[in-house]
Every structure is written in C-alpha cells, then in structure tokens.
Amino acid sequence: MTPNSPALEHVPVVVVGAGPAGLTVANLLSAAGVRCVVLETETRQFVERRPRAGVLEEWAVRELEKRGLGERLLAGARRHTACEFRFDGGRYRFAYEELTGLHHWVYPQPLLVSDLLRAYADERGGDVRFAVRDVAVHDVAFDRPSVSYTCPDTGERRLLRCEFVAGCDGARGVTRTALAGGRARVARHDYGIGWLALLAEAPPSTDCVLFGVHPQGFAGQMPRSPEMTRYYLQCPPGDDPENWSHARVWDALRLRLAAEGAPEPVEGPLIEKRVLDMHDYVVEPMASGRLFLAGDAAHLVAPIAAKGMNLALHDAFLLGDALLARLTRGDDSGLAGYSEACLRRVWDYQEFSQWLSEVYHGAAAGDAFRAGTALARLRRLFSSPVAAAAFAEQYLGGAERY
Ligand code: RFL
C-alpha cells in the first residue's frame, strides 16, 4: 500500500445499504458467526424514522420469527384479516383470512428497521458504518471484489476487500450499475399514474385497509397505528404536492372513500405529502460474479399491492442462506440459483400489481371500456368464490410454489 492508497480492510461480505434487505442479510450472517460490514449513506436516526411500508405477509413474518428476528414485531404488529373495497357508493368487505387462513401483519417499516439494527448492531456488535459517501463497487467479476467509500468523520477514502458484495442499496443505489459492467437487462413498466402518498396524524376510520375506486381517481387508506394512517390519492404523474392543500386532500379523501353507511376519514395533520410516479422495474439477472442484488436495488414494485418490502425480505432470506452455505460449507448451489429463485416471486408479484392497478385506476381512465372492465373485475371478486380465492392467495403471497 502506498501512502496515498485508501485504508484497506478485509471482510468476507460487504452489505451496501441498511434497509430491510441489507439488515436482514447482515443479521443472518452475523448470527452464524460470519463477519460483514454494512455501509449506509444515511444516519442511523434517519433510517430508523423513514416512513414507508407497513404491510407484511405472513410467510415473511414467520421467516423472521424462525430466524430470531420477529419477537418485537409479533409483540407490536397488528393482524389484518380483511380489506374493504368501496365502489358505486357501496362498501364491500373482503375477508381474506376466511378464504385462505392467512392474514397480513401491519408493522411500520421504521420499526422493522430499528428491530433489525438493534439485533445486528446493538446485540451482536455488528459493524454498520452510517453516513458514508461515494460508495463504489470494484472488480465484482473477480474472486476478490472490493467496495470503497469516504469516511464521514475523516474524509479519508477507505477500501473493503471482500469475497462477496450484497447490493441492498434500494432504488437509488449504486450497486445495480456495477452488474456485469451495466449489461444486465432492466425491464421497466410505467403506469402513467401518480399517487399522492400521505401520512396523517389521525386514527384510521375503519380497522382495515380501504380501496376507494372512484371516477375521479383511486383513494386508499392503510392503517399504520391507532394514531397514524397512510392515505393515497391518485393524481397526475409529476404533480406538485403543493397543489394539494390540506382542505383539498381531505375533500378528495371524503369523496373517493364515500360509501353508504361508511364513517368518513378522520381528519388530522399531514406529516408527509409526496408524489410517487408509479413504475416498476426488474433487473435480470440479479447477480453478476461476486455481486448479488437484493430488494429494491434489483426490482421495484409500485406500492399498489404493498409487495416491495416483502420481496426485499424474500431476497434477503435466500441471499443470507446462500452466502452462509458458500462461506461455511463451500456449497455454491444457493448462490448459483439465487437470481432465478428470487425472480419467480418477483414476476408473480409484478403481474398481480399490474392486474390490481387496472382495478384501482380503470374507473378514472377517461375510457368507458376500461371503466367497464375494471368494474367487472371488482364485481367478480364478490360474486365468484373461485375468483375471490385466487385474489386472496395473490394478495397474501400465499401460493404454495412460485
Ligand atoms: P431500502 O429500504 O430503500 O433500503 C436501501 C438502503 O440503502 C441506502 N443507500 C445506500 N447505502 C450505501 N451506499 C449507497 N450508494 C446507497 N444508496 C442508498 C438507503 O439510504 C437505504 O437505507 O431498500 P430495501 O432494503 O430493498 O427495502 C425495500 C423497501 O424499502 C420497499 O420495497 C418498500 O418500502 C416498498 N413499499 C411497501 N412495501 C411493502 O411490502 N408493503 C407496503 O405496505 C409498502 N408501502 C412502500 C410502501 C414504498 C413506499 N415508497 C416511499 C416508495 C409505501 C410507500 C410510500
């Protein structure tokens, strides 16, 4: 090493990103005694507060529990057994647990991230480096890849030499671009729709998720806690959140979620207001050489069906297990089949989100034909037990095989 070269360390695995995917991989490794370093561009306080997802599928929670990561979640999460559709002025409760025996768990993503950080960093003394800058991945085509970054305290450039890199840095990360020199295929889908995503400091008006299908646009209510509710309002893509005053938001929610005999949304301060342009992508394959992507770094699913965090966890379980098999037993089979095993569920969930998008947005498409077929899809859920069972299975991610 020359005096100007970056400070060098060796570690078996570098995990880029301290979201649900990266922290789950890190926990699996550290629980088995395999060292890793997690690099994160934000501060700990920021990642523990960033509001996002809230709906977890039962298989994901069971898997966290099996790995000793579910205790706090099971103590604090709420079980949801039904959702409600509102259309044509009526309310239609869809009791999915009765159909499948499965339910959703509602647990805000920042709480899950805190639990995972506590288990990895506080309880096991795992290495997470927050607020790092200029992360770059090198030489993933070779046996000794490395990851470099700038240390926030000293401004010094550091180099971590490793055997494997887990790219868990989300939709805006850098690891995706290091895949096979940028030659991975990225399949994209743009819905041409925006959602105004809102967090209200107010209790939900009902105990369950609400989907309002209305000619003026979709509206959704997702309870997060007894004091906090997430709402969505369909809007033009690229809309400015400032176009949505407090009064306009609550008028639109009342209108689009209105139904005979239904309580109105409970008004409260809006502590988050941002426009999401609804789009999806899938990177194929999710791995190249010594780099393995997991979660939003590899695939984005618009939050239409609340699938993103579940997929991130699914990847992380597979990747953690596969890395352990390789590093502790020399068994390469998990890593070899990793991308394919993840993508089967990813594509299934993408297809379901696309199907559901038409149900939510068809009525407001300004096209009588699309409005008619979207309504037919909705009615079928409440008239055909077979259609209802199929929907419930997809909504809960409960298929026996993907
Ligand atoms: P994350 O959570 O984005 O974590 C990535 C981490 O990497 C850091 N990072 C970097 N670190 C190092 N170097 C770099 N160059 C870096 N660049 C970025 C970031 O700071 C971050 O800490 O990705 P991960 O782990 O893959 O997890 C994915 C989930 O966060 C995401 O899929 C869900 O939030 C999606 N989603 C939902 N999913 C569900 O399953 N159920 C839901 O109910 C649900 N609701 C939602 C959602 C996403 C939403 N937004 C904001 C798009 C609701 C919303 C509004």
Side-chain angles (χ1 to χ4, degrees):
M1 226 166 79
T2 68
N4 290 328
S5 60
L8 179 67
E9 291 171 72
H10 290 267
V11 65
V13 181
V14 175
V15 177
V16 184
L23 290 170
T24 302
V25 171
N27 269 292
L28 266 50
L29 295 176
S30 68
V34 171
R35 247 171 26 89
C36 64
V37 171
V38 180
L39 296 177
E40 167 60 52
T41 44
E42 302 291 348
T43 63
R44 177 165 183 167
Q45 194 188 43
F46 183 88
V47 299
E48 289 191 287
R49 289 197 184 158
R50 180 170 43 198
R52 275 194 182 172
V55 179
L56 281 167
E57 295 174 352
E58 197 173 331
W59 61 265
V61 173
R62 294 287 157 240
E63 203 64 33
L64 285 166
E65 191 187 11
K66 203 168 92 189
R67 293 154 190 280
L69 298 169
E71 200 182 320
R72 295 170 72 85
L73 187 157
L74 286 167
R78 277 160 316 109
R79 262 167 73 122
H80 278 214
T81 58
C83 57
E84 188 174 305
F85 289 89
R86 295 188 176 170
F87 58 97
D88 266 356
R91 52 196 303 205
Y92 301 84
R93 198 169 168 87
F94 188 87
Y96 46 75
E97 193 187 40
E98 283 172 20
L99 293 166
T100 59
L102 300 172
H103 51 267
H104 272 148
W105 290 99
V106 174
Y107 194 61
Q109 183 167 333
L111 295 185
L112 178 66
V113 167
S114 289
D115 295 353
L116 293 170
L117 265 174
R118 177 191 292 252
Y120 172 68
D122 304 339
E123 290 168 13
R124 293 204 189 93
D127 188 340
V128 198
R129 303 181 188 177
F130 290 102
V132 300
R133 298 196 308 274
D134 307 322
V135 174
V137 178
H138 315 277
D139 298 334
V140 295
F142 301 99
D143 287 352
R144 283 273 154 192
S146 58
V147 182
S148 59
Y149 68 97
T150 301
C151 172
D153 302 325
T154 60
E156 186 190 19
R157 199 76 192 144
R158 291 182 170 269
L159 188 68
L160 292 164
R161 196 148 281 163
C162 57
E163 289 182 54
F164 295 99
V165 180
C168 308
D169 48 349
R172 295 198 181 85
V174 295
T175 57
R176 191 167 53 244
T177 55
L179 266 191
R183 281 199 303 276
R185 190 184 81 172
V186 185
R188 295 179 194 279
H189 177 68
D190 187 347
Y191 292 91
I193 281 166
W195 273 15
L196 182 69
L198 304 149
L199 256 187
E201 263 175 356
S205 61
T206 54
D207 60 347
C208 72
V209 169
L210 298 180
F211 304 119
V213 175
H214 192 275
Q216 291 208 4
F218 170 78
Q221 175 204 265
M222 277 84 202
R224 287 292 188 252
S225 73
E227 305 83 31
M228 196 73 78
T229 308
R230 187 173 272 297
Y231 287 102
Y232 294 114
L233 281 170
Q234 183 183 343
C235 64
D239 203 359
D240 183 348
E242 292 316 309
N243 290 339
W244 290 84
S245 65
H246 181 91
R248 185 179 175 206
V249 164
W250 290 103
D251 285 348
L253 287 171
R254 278 188 285 267
L255 178 76
R256 299 184 195 181
L257 290 170
E260 182 79 37
E264 284 195 340
V266 183
E267 198 168 322
L270 298 167
I271 58 166
E272 190 194 63
K273 195 166 67 170
R274 51 192 291 222
V275 170
L276 308 174
D277 288 342
M278 305 303 264
H279 67 282
D280 305 321
Y281 62 74
V282 179
V283 177
E284 278 185 298
M286 289 168 52
S288 171
R290 296 293 182 118
L291 169 64
F292 294 82
L293 302 185
D296 282 8
H299 39 74
L300 191 80
V301 202
I304 291 168
K307 295 293 192 187
M309 183 161 66
N310 292 286
L311 285 176
L313 291 172
H314 183 251
D315 294 351
F317 297 134
L318 290 178
L319 182 56
D321 288 347
L323 286 170
L324 283 176
R326 170 68 169 73
L327 290 165
T328 60
R329 303 194 298 279
D331 174 358
D332 259 331
S333 58
L335 289 178
Y338 169 71
S339 178
E340 203 189 326
C342 295
L343 287 169
R344 294 177 74 89
R345 192 181 280 265
V346 168
W347 279 117
D348 190 90
Y349 282 21
Q350 293 282 16
E351 191 283 330
F352 178 62
S353 296
Q354 210 179 23
W355 183 91
L356 194 57
S357 170
E358 191 56 22
V359 172
Y360 289 168
H361 306 118
D367 173 336
F369 193 86
R370 278 181 64 189
T373 51
L375 197 60
R377 282 188 183 181
L378 260 178
R379 290 207 183 103
R380 192 184 298 137
L381 296 183
F382 297 93
S383 57
S384 158
V386 176
F391 173 84
E393 183 182 273
Q394 288 180 298
Y395 187 50
L396 295 158
E400 244 167 60
R401 278 197 316 124
Y402 282 91

